Each structure stands twice: as C-alpha cells, then as structure tokens.
C-alpha cells in the first residue's frame, strides 16, 4: 500500500513540475534573452492588405515598406543586425511578425505604420503605440519609456504634431512580442499635406533619422548593457 501511495505522489509531483515549467519557462533557465545588437523592423500590412489608403490613392503598405527599408539601411550602418519581417509586398499574419521577433531574440521591435481618420482630412501628426505593463525578462526600460523617448525624438526630428503615446493591449505585434515593442504611426494619409510629405524621400529620411536617434537614446538609458 505504501509503495502504491508513494508512486501516486511521485506522479502528482511530476505533473506539477511539468505544469510549472510550461507556465514559467525560466524555471529551468529557458528565460528569453535578447541579443544585444538585433533589431526587428516590421513594415505593417502588405500583399492583399493595403492598410490605409491616402487622399491621392497611396497605399499605407508601400509607405511602410519604404520607410522600413530606409531604417534598415540606417541601422545597418550604425552596426546593428536588422531583420525585416518583410522586404517585399507580401502579406504576413501579425502573429508571425511577433514570432519572427521572438525567434530572432530581438533587443527591440519597431513596427512602421501610417495613420488614417475616416471623413477627416485635417488631422495630422505622429503617434507611438505601446503595450502597457509588459513583464520584462531583462533589465530594460519599460514600453512606456521606450514610446516616450521615441515620440520625443520624432517630434524633434520631423517637427510634426504630437498626437500622443497610446496604450494598446489588443495588438498582437505588441502583446505577443517578448522584447520592448512599439508601433510608430508616421503620419496621416488622410491628410493631403501629410500624405505628400510621407511620399518624399526627404521626409522619410527625417523619420528614419528620428527613429534611429530615439533608439540610441533608449539604449543609452537602458539598464541592460
């Protein structure tokens, strides 16, 4: 009888141990550890998903991709290893974008988007979206700080209107990524003046330089050095 009870208790212990490991992968050292110089840049939308459509008929997916490519080139020159979730006009599920960043163990994740407001051609400016209260697996600053630093850099570098840093708990690329992650809304395609700016190399480069400077500022303040 005692041997039978001992066997049952052993089975219960093993089940509890497995459940603990599944719930807390860091229990046996499987903690997510980012790679210092890896940055994942995500060009939002793509393929059969055009995103917002501008007053002049431009597609958000194309604007996003152009800025993402320029950002990769800029960050490459600064010594980072940059991975684009897409480098052509292709459709990707949002959970795949997050998985790419997690699999590559990115230090940070930045998704590039453009904004739109239906039946409103006057709203303009930059927004930064973030997932609040992220449970950090490293000694990095939280998403709120990352978003604030990036917004300050964007406003300084582009002289655009500050439309605020916005909490978003519902976006997969923010709530499924294991590293600090933000979405940069570069401007409103439904504003004709801002759409024209977003289609120029000069303004795209100003956005890219601003994001790059924001990243450097974030890393300089980061505890995970």
């Amino acid at each position: 009888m005692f041997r039978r009870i001992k066997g049952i208790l052993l089975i219960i212990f093993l089940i509890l141990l497995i459940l603990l490991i599944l719930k807390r992968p860091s229990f046996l050292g499987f903690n997510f550890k980012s790679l210092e110089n890896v940055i994942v840049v995500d060009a939002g939308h793509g393929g059969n998903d055009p995103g917002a459509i501008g007053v002049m008929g431009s597609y958000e997916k194309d604007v996003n991709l152009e800025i993402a490519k320029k950002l990769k080139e800029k960050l490459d020159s600064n010594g980072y290893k940059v991975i684009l979730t897409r480098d052509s006009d292709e459709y990707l599920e949002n959970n795949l974008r997050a998985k790419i960043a997690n699999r590559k163990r990115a230090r940070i994740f930045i998704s590039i988007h453009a904004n739109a407001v239906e039946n409103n051609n006057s709203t303009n400016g930059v927004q930064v979206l973030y997932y609040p209260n992220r449970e950090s697996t490293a000694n990095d600053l939280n998403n709120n700080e990352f978003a604030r630093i990036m917004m300050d850099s964007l406003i300084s570098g582009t002289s655009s209107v500050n439309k605020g840093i916005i909490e978003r708990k519902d976006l997969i690329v923010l709530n499924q990524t294991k590293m600090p992650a933000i979405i940069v809304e570069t401007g409103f395609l439904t504003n004709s003046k801002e759409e024209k700016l977003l289609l120029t190399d000069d303004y795209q480069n100003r956005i890219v330089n601003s994001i790059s400077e924001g990243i450097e500022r974030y890393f300089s303040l980061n505890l995970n050095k």
Side-chain angles (χ1 to χ4, degrees), residues 42-118:
D42 172 50
H45 304 284
N48 60 8
D49 175 16
I53 299 177
V55 178
M56 299 184 298
S58 63
Y59 288 163
E60 180 191 352
K61 65 175 183 177
D62 298 327
V63 174
N64 297 342
L65 184 58
E66 285 302 308
I67 294 174
K69 285 181 175 180
K70 287 181 171 69
L71 182 56
K72 177 182 178 355
E73 184 177 354
K74 174 70 174 179
L75 295 175
D76 280 342
S77 70
N78 289 344
Y80 296 104
K81 179 180 179 181
V82 182
I83 298 163
L84 295 177
T85 56
R86 68 179 181 96
D87 58 9
S88 61
D89 185 19
E90 62 176 316
Y91 175 77
L92 290 179
E93 294 283 354
N94 285 327
N95 60 357
L96 178 57
R97 299 169 193 262
K99 285 179 180 178
I100 290 171
N102 293 338
R103 187 168 63 244
K104 297 298 183 179
R105 294 162 60 194
R107 177 80 180 274
I108 57 173
F109 174 92
I110 298 177
S111 188
I112 305 297
H113 283 258
N115 234 324
V117 179
E118 189 174 355

Side-chain angles (χ1 to χ4, degrees), residues 109-166:
F109 174 92
I110 298 177
S111 188
I112 305 297
H113 283 258
N115 234 324
V117 179
E118 189 174 355
N119 300 321
N120 184 332
N121 60 7
S122 62
T123 300
N124 66 305
V126 176
Q127 285 183 332
V128 179
L129 281 50
Y130 72 100
Y131 181 79
N133 304 318
R134 182 182 61 87
E135 291 187 9
S136 174
T137 55
N139 245 350
D140 48 38
L141 299 177
N142 62 34
N143 282 350
N144 177 278
E145 285 297 300
F146 187 19
R148 182 188 61 77
I149 290 167
M150 187 58 68
M151 175 61 84
D152 289 346
S153 184
L154 285 163
I155 298 306
S156 175
T158 66
S159 299
S160 185
V161 175
N162 184 339
K163 300 301 288 186
I165 59 173
I166 312 296

